[in-house]
Amino acid sequence: MKAFKATFLAVALSVGFAGATTAQQNEPIKPIPPAEVTDKAKVELGKKLFFEPRLSKSGFISCNSCHNLSRGGSDNLPTSIGDNWQQGPINSPTVLNSSLNLAQFWDGRAANLQEQAGGPIANPMEMAFTHELAIGLLTSIPAYVEEFETVYGTKEITIDEVTDAIAAFEETLVTPDSRFDLWLNGDQNALTKQEIAGYQLFKASGCVACHNGVNVGGASYQKMGVVEPYTTENKAEGRAAVTGVDADRFNFKVPTLRNVEMTYPYFHDGAVDTLTEAVDIMGRLQLGRHFTKEENAQIVAFLKTLTGKQPEIVLPILPPSADETVRPTPFN
Amino acid sequence: MKAFKATFLAVALSVGFAGATTAQQNEPIKPIPPAEVTDKAKVELGKKLFFEPRLSKSGFISCNSCHNLSRGGSDNLPTSIGDNWQQGPINSPTVLNSSLNLAQFWDGRAANLQEQAGGPIANPMEMAFTHELAIGLLTSIPAYVEEFETVYGTKEITIDEVTDAIAAFEETLVTPDSRFDLWLNGDQNALTKQEIAGYQLFKASGCVACHNGVNVGGASYQKMGVVEPYTTENKAEGRAAVTGVDADRFNFKVPTLRNVEMTYPYFHDGAVDTLTEAVDIMGRLQLGRHFTKEENAQIVAFLKTLTGKQPEIVLPILPPSADETVRPTPFN
């Protein structure tokens, strides 16, 4: 892909001219550090579980179904398809760089990735399984028992181990070396003039007040519709569903803008298909600002520089079920 | 996985003792030669298309959904889940080594992989798209247009190119170096005594009459239920649906036994979960032979030696949709 060729060229250039460049240390957006894998066996186990459809009632839906690592860690649908083709209530957020968020889910109801990972497995609208059935299933498969024992030192598989391993895998799903990060790291040639103008406007007009830090978002909860209300048929309450505080109604975790070109459609209801429209709506509703066509194009051009190096995932080979393994029940 | 460690060890041994071994040249089963990739760009494009959910109406189902390369190229369901959670009419056959079959689908209605690949995209029970919509979709995505041009020398994307690329990728999905193939190639230590006994029984009792050649099947159509009838609620007619000849009723392409440990459940209706039961039924219905428990276990042990080296697939990164790209419609 052209974008990646450009990235690699830019890496080469930034290395080549390292002495002549100056990192942008005072910018409100920070580069993503590469993932450090400390427990390779755990990450490999977590990868298997992430791709494991047998953690669903149907044997058809895995984490990767809605957080597709071929597609920016998202399903590119307004709301997801769950067990028995049920329509999910909210847009599936990207799993990429999710370890950099202050909490998980749009309303932040899970404190961390491990807490998140247990949710969809047991959600009747999503994978529609139970933790007990998931543990029973994994325990019936000798290769899994062996692998859990290698990682956790015990033959007893627990849901805490399952979600811990999935979280460990997800922590590796960061996307460093976007062209914007190369620019932050001092490669002046990594961005075009239009892209730099877009970034300046992104800062000057206030977008950066919420979309900042290493994940360009994910660090706070903010109201959807500050200056003008956002109209949607989506029933999500936002943060109020967690705090019970009415003032938190329609407060959502600010989504990351990392890889935003790949994670359409946008907003918690997935109602908006294009970055052009998303930037226009955000400008008006959150900032009271009507971007001109040229300004909009500049910001969109900047946003596309946030696409980082996608994790290189070798598809795991899942161990076959044993004779005793309980079979999936997709149609009843 | 333990099986792979054993395989690699066996490879090392077979290389180490090459001078002392004799290949089994007169066996009715032949080893799988490794895939030869002649057009890497085409295979890469085909891989993207194989993993491309946008070739379905819902934007959710790809070739890999039902021919999951993490799971022996199958979905391990009796019959597959299609668009809107429709229940498919027949068990999804493995895509692994499918280039070695005489034709595609259980009834052989597609002469080759390219002809097969167009089917599920346009089948209203499966991906529920149309070839026209698929071409329109791909043509709207600049990175795809560029990639097709690199491979086919034209900016005009056609369904023949799409299916040709998918077939080229599928041709790489062979699984050489099973323990059985190492044994065929002369490594006497690759199989246990029980496994060799199982193979001898597999030959002596007549299984090998249909399950032979490089794909241990896939080379002929045979009646399901020769000695005793097979009872099933599945409505598939078999080969008769293609030939219109009544005598072909319930004739199906003999499935490959390569990787059969991974491609459960068994038979065209996916009614049987375990190899033990499948071997018992096949013995009685096809050969009029009641295998003892010990004999059954020997044959099952042999069948598990047919699990080959699974293709190492680096997950493709799919190019994002453009603003103009038509969006999927999963819920209407």
Side-chain angles (χ1 to χ4, degrees), chain B residues 113-124:
Chain B
L113 287 173
Q114 183 179 9
E115 210 178 306
Q116 189 278 333
I121 294 173
N123 187 328

Side-chain angles (χ1 to χ4, degrees), chain A residues 219-263:
Chain A
S220 66
Y221 303 99
Q222 301 290 343
K223 194 173 188 88
M224 179 68 169
V226 174
V227 179
E228 281 180 48
Y230 180 68
T231 51
T232 178
E233 286 174 17
N234 188 289
K235 292 186 169 57
E237 292 274 305
R239 191 72 186 143
V242 179
T243 62
V245 175
D246 199 54
D248 286 337
R249 230 191 124 256
F250 244 47
N251 275 13
F252 293 95
K253 189 180 67 187
V254 176
T256 174
L257 297 183
R258 294 282 183 188
N259 311 293
V260 71
E261 182 185 11
M262 300 181 75
T263 61

Side-chain angles (χ1 to χ4, degrees), chain B residues 157-235:
Chain B
I157 301 177
T158 66
I159 191 68
D160 283 348
E161 290 163 16
V162 170
T163 54
D164 179 66
I166 292 174
F169 170 62
E170 290 176 339
E171 279 164 17
T172 70
L173 302 176
V174 294
T175 62
D177 296 337
S178 69
R179 286 197 292 118
F180 187 73
D181 283 7
L182 299 181
W183 182 82
L184 283 178
N185 283 330
D187 176 6
Q188 301 296 327
N189 299 313
L191 300 188
T192 66
K193 278 184 185 166
Q194 187 196 32
E195 290 159 353
I196 292 173
Y199 175 51
Q200 298 303 345
L201 187 55
F202 184 86
K203 287 196 289 185
S205 57
C207 310
V208 82
C210 299
H211 293 286
N212 55 40
V214 69
N215 214 9
V216 201
S220 66
Y221 303 100
Q222 302 291 342
K223 193 171 189 87
M224 179 69 168
V226 173
V227 180
E228 281 181 47
Y230 181 68
T231 51
T232 177
E233 287 174 16
N234 189 288
K235 291 187 173 53

